[in-house]
Amino acid sequence: MNRDNNSQKITMHDVAKLCGVSYQTVSRVINDSPDVAIKTRRLVLKAIKSLGYHPNQLARSLKTRRSFIIEVITFGVETYIPRELIITMGRAAIQQGYSLIFTDIPRDDTQEENRLLSHLNSGLVDGAIITAPVKSQLFDNLCAEPPPLPIIQIRNPRGSTAASVSIDQYHGGQLAVQHLLKLGHRQIAEISGPLDYHEAHTRHTACLEALQTAGLAPVEVVEATEWMPQEGYQAAQALLAGGKAFSGLVIANDYLALGAIMALREHGLEVPRDVSVVGFDDAPDSAYYCPPLTTIKQDYDALGNQTIHYLVELIKNQDTPAHQRVLMPQLIVRQSTRSIA
């Protein structure tokens, strides 16, 4: 019963006729009402797909008093969201019947703060996802009680009492150091991320404490100014200029590691023959570095899906208790590390 694109617009009555159900049943399925049997829901959804029916979003919004839009808010160019996370959140939102919009505003800009608060209170969006890995007064104000609408935080410190989804950065930092220790390395250096980032600071703390537990201290710590390969290259150059020998190197993310490996090579050091390197994130191209990078995987698919599903729970039932959902990172061993024991 597929219709040509130039034919009359498909309606809910067409869907109901194909399924042999009432118009009201189709409406309940579209509006995600729980009062529909699972078998009937599947039948209606199959018919919607078969006919190419697209609900009238304005009519749906007026009926449900929802916009079915989620806003993702970032704070300035220093806020980095991995592409994989954006894609996953977008797909998960579509599956839940929502669209995403993105807003990036400067940190600590009072005028923008007032504009955004007014926007969030306007009813134009049903909920918001806030990512602010750097401390911001604007972020604190937006997350003050009571929030103007359901809000989920991501990339915030573990232990937060706010509704949030986080990956355990401390555990990841510990995994990186413990991997090198198990391989017999005792002279371990670190290239940290910018330490005003929650994640960078937590990974750095985890690195220091894992070494301390083993009775060691880092050979040297160099703080990168940003997160991209050129900063990793410069940080490794500074580390090597210090002249202290090290056989293991923990690096705050994979892109920094890419630049650092180039700097090591320029100094005649091969990875992992002379220096074993562990990155962080498991960026999509890290498996294709030369050599393929041992790293700590952050599961952005899980983070994106959990974030959207949790936010939709809050939208549907704002009495849902606020809590932090914590995901665990995983060590991915490739060819940039080797045993020296």
Side-chain angles (χ1 to χ4, degrees), residues 180-181 183-188 216 247-248 276 338-340:
L180 291 175
L181 292 172
L183 293 175
H185 296 275
R186 292 297 178 267
Q187 294 175 302
I188 297 172
L216 302 170
S247 66
S276 287
R338 75 175 185 94
S339 172
I340 62 171

Side-chain angles (χ1 to χ4, degrees), residues 12-266:
M12 277 199 290
H13 291 287
D14 296 317
V15 177
K17 184 177 180 180
L18 179 61
C19 295
V21 300
S22 69
Y23 169 96
Q24 290 81 4
T25 297
V26 175
S27 177
R28 284 195 289 270
V29 171
I30 290 170
N31 293 309
D32 201 26
S33 169
D35 301 324
V36 182
I38 294 175
K39 185 177 180 180
T40 302
R41 184 183 301 276
R42 288 175 180 167
L43 180 65
V44 171
L45 291 174
K46 183 178 180 181
I48 287 172
K49 184 176 181 181
S50 173
L51 292 171
Y53 170 67
H54 299 285
N56 183 312
Q57 188 61 47
L58 177 59
R60 186 185 182 202
S61 296
L62 289 172
K63 182 177 180 63
T64 62
R65 296 185 179 179
R66 294 182 191 167
S67 68
F68 297 95
I69 297 173
I70 292 170
E71 187 161 9
V72 180
I73 302 166
T74 58
F75 294 83
V77 295
E78 74 282 352
T79 301
Y80 170 67
I81 302 183
R83 185 172 64 91
E84 314 92 275
L85 179 56
I86 294 174
I87 292 171
T88 300
M89 288 197 299
R91 288 174 177 166
I94 289 171
Q95 290 171 358
Q96 294 291 319
Y98 285 80
S99 299
L100 293 186
I101 61 172
F102 289 81
T103 300
D104 184 80
I105 59 177
R107 280 196 289 161
D108 301 326
D109 184 319
T110 303
Q111 184 175 351
E112 285 298 314
E113 174 185 343
N114 292 334
R115 185 199 64 78
L116 183 60
L117 284 170
S118 176
H119 172 66
L120 293 177
N121 277 299
S122 68
L124 293 175
V125 298
D126 292 339
I129 297 166
I130 297 183
T131 173
V134 181
K135 184 171 177 57
S136 164
Q137 185 60 49
L138 177 52
F139 173 79
D140 293 341
N141 291 343
L142 283 172
C143 295
E145 295 292 342
L149 78 174
I151 290 176
I152 296 288
Q153 300 177 29
I154 59 173
R155 302 185 69 190
N156 60 332
R158 182 170 179 179
S160 170
T161 57
S164 55
V165 184
S166 180
I167 296 176
D168 193 331
Q169 305 296 314
Y170 185 87
H171 182 64
Q174 292 255 312
L175 284 176
V177 174
Q178 290 166 359
H179 174 64
L180 291 175
L181 292 172
K182 288 177 182 177
L183 293 175
H185 296 275
R186 292 297 178 267
Q187 294 175 302
I188 297 172
E190 178 196 1
I191 295 176
S192 79
L195 292 176
D196 58 335
Y197 279 71
H198 306 308
E199 294 168 333
H201 188 271
T202 301
R203 294 173 200 173
H204 170 63
T205 300
C207 180
L208 295 182
E209 293 184 0
L211 288 170
Q212 185 179 39
T213 299
L216 302 170
V219 169
E220 190 73 68
V221 177
V222 176
E223 179 183 355
T225 57
E226 269 302 335
W227 292 97
M228 299 309 288
Q230 59 268 30
E231 283 82 21
Y233 176 85
Q234 293 165 2
Q237 291 281 19
L239 179 62
L240 293 163
K244 297 180 181 178
F246 56 93
S247 66
L249 179 58
V250 175
I251 304 181
N253 85 343
D254 294 348
Y255 294 121
L256 289 172
L258 180 60
I261 289 171
M262 177 178 283
L264 291 170
R265 285 202 181 117
E266 288 183 358

